[in-house]
Structures are given as structure tokens and as C-alpha cells.
Amino acid sequence: MDIYTRYKSLRQRTEDICRPLAIEDYVVQPIVDVSPPKWHLGHTTWFFETFILTPHVQGYQPFNPDYNYVFNSYYETIGNRVIRTDRGNLSRPTVDDIYRYRQHVDEAILKILSAPLEPEVSNLIVLGIHHEEQHQELLYTDIKYILGHNPLFPAYDVTYQPPTLKSTSTNDFIRIKEGLYEIGFKGDGFCFDNELGRHKAYLNEFEISNRLVSNAEYLEFINDGGYSDFRHWHAEGWDWVRNEKITAPLYWHFIDNSWYHYTFRGLEPIDLEASVRHVSYFEAYAYAAWKGLRLPTEFEWEVAAPSFTWGENWEWTESAYLPYPGFKKAPGAIGEYNGKFMVNQKVLRGASVVTSPGHSRLTYRNFFQTNLRWQFTGIRLAK
Ligand SMILES: [Fe+2]
């Protein structure tokens, strides 16, 4: 697909994700990690305006110079911004204003995409496309949180069906031989800076499950008192369980002696065969410890992944989010994209059913703090 068509369909898909929303759903921010849908719509547009149109297109007039303050996420280089917790307090710009902002920026980008481009500019547009794809997944996860924490449990779309993956029902462990393996991105296509540089890692022989832990299996952990036995948990994880009164994965509700969970279709009985989802790293670790097993490292995952089906849930790994040997931050504001987050987070590998089509890679490194679970996160065991 050429970049013109790709840009157009990307921008359309973002708006399609928001189509089932009521106007009020665009505005709220129930927790700091969840951004209002209208903020995602504006911020992804701001990215193209700030990094491509303003610096590289002569005579470009910003739609509204004040938007830089509202839609800058975390780029210190670009200046002051609304603090993250206040994103849900903005009744203006309105949703209509933001859709007009999108149109203004789209017209300008499509105009430059109709002529030959400097490689620097086309690389930035490709980065902007991958950035907006990341926000498409965040739109799904944030919309789920907003609707799933409304006491009426409104459906996002009663006909919603996730993409189906060919998965296996038998639980087998795949054995990988010890040896020296190459880790990190190789090739000519796009990757984020955190997937570089490619380097060698020595792995001891290990075994990894060919499928994710199911709801039925996780329920055994719950029923065995997993959440009330400190022995399975890290000290921090145990504090989290007690302080937050955690007794089950996010979106699970115990009603009339049965477990239900909130899905995009509304509240439904737990599907026992489906993989467990919306667990934190703390829970993934505790479950593995209760089983007498462990989580894979991100290096083990990358080496073994061609042998199993992945892409249903982001998979917690035992690896801290750290720079690879030879990792370099890009100069300027774009250098703030990944590098400054390489502290106190764990790597997740794979992709989820709400990851944008074509966005995932074997070498992709996602990362979140150990207590977070509003993303589509799951568990794969290793030993
Ligand atoms: Fe962003």
C-alpha cells in the first residue's frame, strides 16, 4: 500500500473506532492512565502537525496555536502542556472542534504526500502512522475502561467480535536448546528505536508453553486462595493486592455465585476456555509461582515465538525494560519517544486482539508498570 493510501485509511480507522461512542463518552478520564477518546483524536493529529507540518512545510498555519498546550503528551522539548491527570477536565476544544482539526491536518498532510518527499519527512510520517496505530489500541483499551467502569456496563458494540486466531487447545511445552541467539530487529522495514541494536544473547535450555493460561486455569488459582496467600507474591505485589483489595482480574465481577466479566458487548459470563486477560505483572508472576513455574524472559519469548500462536494478549515477561546494547536516542524531541521510559517497567511481547492490523512484529517491545492491567495482558508460562 502506498503511503498516501496508508495515511488515509489509518486516519479513517481511528475515527471508525470512535463511531459507536456517545458524545459524553469522548470526554471522561476515570483514572490517570486512561485518556479521554477526544484527547487521543487530538494528540495523534498534533503529532503530525508538530513534527511534520510546522517544521517542514513552508507557510503552514497551525489550526489553533493553543492546541500545542492541550495535546502535547510528554515531549519536554516541545514545551508546557496540560498535566496528564487533567485531560478529562477539558470541555473545550469540543469533539466537533477536534474532528475539524483532524480534517485541517489531513488536508495538509495529503497535499505533501501527493508530491515527492524528502526521506526525513517521509520517515517522520511513517513514525506518525505507527504512533497513531499505538493510539488506536489505546482507544480500544481506554474506551473499555470508561464503559466498563460505568455502573450501567454499557456495551461498546453489541455485535463486537475480536479477530479470531488459530490457537491450540492442547497444552504442550516447547523445548528450546541452549545457545547463542540474535535478538532485536533486522531488516529494512519500520521498527521503533527500542528494538535496536540487534545483539547476541546466550540462553540456557528452557521450555515454554504453546498457549496462554486460560480463564479456567486462572480460576483454580482464585479458588485455591491465590489472592490471600502472600507466599506467591512479590512484596510490592502483595502490598498492591491488599491496598487495592484485588481479588480477580480487572473487569471480573462475582454476581449470584458466578463470575462475569465486562466485554465490548457488555457484561457476560466468563468464557472458561478463553485466555485470562487484564492481569497485572504482579498477578502473572503470582500465578506462575503458584504453578511452580515462571514467566519467560523477553529473549526466550523472541526465540520461541515462531513455534507458537501469539497475538491474542500482550504477554508479560520477566524482563525489565532496558536499552539493548548500542541503543541510541534520536536527536531532538523524537528522542523522547521510548528511551526516557526505560526505568521501573516490565516488557510485554506479542500483540493483542486490539492491536492495529499490521502493527505487530516478533521483535516489538511493549512496556508497562507492574501494577497496570487495563491493557489486554495475559500469561504464558515457562520453565
Ligand atoms: Fe502519543
Side-chain angles (χ1 to χ4, degrees):
M1 195 190 294
D2 65 273
I3 189 167
Y4 184 99
T5 317
R6 202 165 158 215
Y7 178 86
K8 265 190 98 160
S9 66
L10 165 93
R11 299 285 286 172
Q12 184 59 51
R13 184 171 185 269
T14 304
E15 298 185 10
D16 289 346
I17 293 170
C18 294
R19 184 140 309 141
L21 299 181
I23 212 78
E24 291 82 354
D25 301 327
Y26 280 90
V27 187
V28 293
Q29 182 179 28
I31 53 166
V32 57
D33 307 294
V34 168
S35 293
K38 77 170 187 178
W39 186 86
H40 288 292
L41 291 172
H43 164 73
T44 48
T45 305
W46 167 87
F47 191 95
F48 285 108
E49 184 174 69
T50 306
F51 295 116
I52 293 143
L53 296 174
T54 302
H56 295 287
V57 177
Q58 253 200 340
Y60 173 76
Q61 293 295 323
F63 181 75
N64 181 335
D66 293 339
Y67 281 12
N68 189 51
Y69 183 72
V70 181
F71 293 124
N72 179 3
S73 51
Y74 54 68
Y75 296 89
E76 302 287 350
T77 316
I78 306 295
N80 283 342
R81 58 201 175 275
V82 169
I83 58 167
R84 192 172 173 193
T85 45
D86 282 356
R87 288 176 187 167
N89 296 340
L90 304 173
S91 60
R92 309 296 168 95
T94 65
V95 174
D96 274 353
D97 291 335
I98 293 169
Y99 276 117
R100 276 197 296 276
Y101 178 38
R102 290 182 70 86
Q103 214 182 344
H104 175 89
V105 165
D106 285 348
E107 280 165 16
I109 293 278
L110 289 172
K111 197 167 152 203
I112 62 168
L113 283 176
S114 309
L117 283 176
E118 294 288 322
E120 188 196 351
V121 176
S122 77
N123 287 343
L124 282 168
I125 294 178
V126 170
L127 179 64
I129 290 172
H130 287 266
H131 171 254
E132 184 150 341
E133 286 173 350
Q134 291 183 311
H135 279 276
Q136 288 176 344
E137 175 152 9
L138 289 170
L139 269 167
Y140 274 118
T141 58
D142 292 4
I143 289 168
K144 185 169 183 179
Y145 195 97
I146 288 165
L147 300 178
H149 285 77
N150 183 301
L152 303 177
F153 298 116
Y156 162 70
D157 174 0
V158 287
T159 64
Y160 177 85
Q161 285 299 334
T164 44
L165 288 158
K166 121 182 128 27
S167 59
T168 168
S169 52
T170 56
N171 187 10
D172 291 320
F173 276 80
I174 301 160
R175 185 185 299 261
I176 306 285
K177 284 202 167 62
E178 70 172 351
L180 206 51
Y181 293 93
E182 297 261 330
I183 301 294
F185 184 78
K186 183 170 102 179
D188 307 323
F190 175 86
C191 76
F192 285 110
D193 56 1
N194 62 3
E195 296 163 60
L196 302 169
R198 192 165 161 91
H199 62 283
K200 293 185 181 65
Y202 186 83
L203 301 181
N204 290 313
E205 183 171 283
F206 67 98
E207 291 182 41
I208 188 164
S209 174
N210 64 344
R211 63 166 183 79
L212 298 172
V213 171
S214 70
N215 283 326
E217 290 166 321
Y218 198 82
L219 207 46
E220 287 174 37
F221 170 69
I222 297 177
N223 292 338
D224 194 44
Y227 281 95
S228 46
D229 188 340
F230 72 91
R231 290 174 303 168
H232 313 310
W233 299 82
H234 286 106
E236 265 183 45
W238 184 238
D239 287 346
W240 174 76
V241 163
R242 304 225 305 177
N243 293 338
E244 307 290 324
K245 301 186 172 52
I246 306 287
T247 56
L250 187 64
Y251 299 118
W252 283 39
H253 300 275
F254 198 59
I255 303 166
D256 294 338
N257 272 323
S258 299
W259 281 106
Y260 290 78
H261 64 163
Y262 177 78
T263 76
F264 283 128
R265 294 181 297 270
L267 209 54
E268 292 183 346
I270 294 281
D271 173 359
L272 291 174
E273 313 244 296
S275 57
V276 67
R277 174 173 284 168
H278 296 297
V279 287
S280 68
Y281 165 78
F282 290 142
E283 289 166 299
Y285 172 89
Y287 176 83
W290 171 77
K291 282 295 266 190
L293 298 170
R294 63 176 177 86
L295 303 176
T297 66
E298 63 166 320
F299 311 109
E300 290 171 334
W301 191 96
E302 189 170 317
V303 169
S307 317
F308 54 70
T309 302
W310 54 273
E312 201 177 330
N313 295 322
W314 288 101
E315 303 179 18
W316 285 109
T317 75
E318 197 49 275
S319 297
Y321 182 43
L322 295 173
Y324 284 169
F327 170 75
K328 279 191 217 70
K329 277 191 204 178
I334 291 296
E336 295 186 48
Y337 203 103
N338 279 312
K340 70 180 187 181
F341 300 108
M342 290 174 174
V343 63
N344 293 335
Q345 311 213 42
K346 287 283 190 180
V347 173
L348 299 100
R349 288 306 198 97
S352 83
V353 289
V354 291
T355 303
S356 300
H359 185 76
S360 51
R361 284 180 294 284
L362 203 59
T363 56
Y364 199 106
R365 304 174 80 201
N366 199 351
F367 50 93
F368 281 100
Q369 281 101 359
T370 46
N371 62 326
L372 295 180
R373 53 187 196 156
W374 96 108
Q375 297 299 302
F376 284 54
T377 48
I379 310 170
R380 185 185 301 275
L381 297 170
K383 55 184 174 186

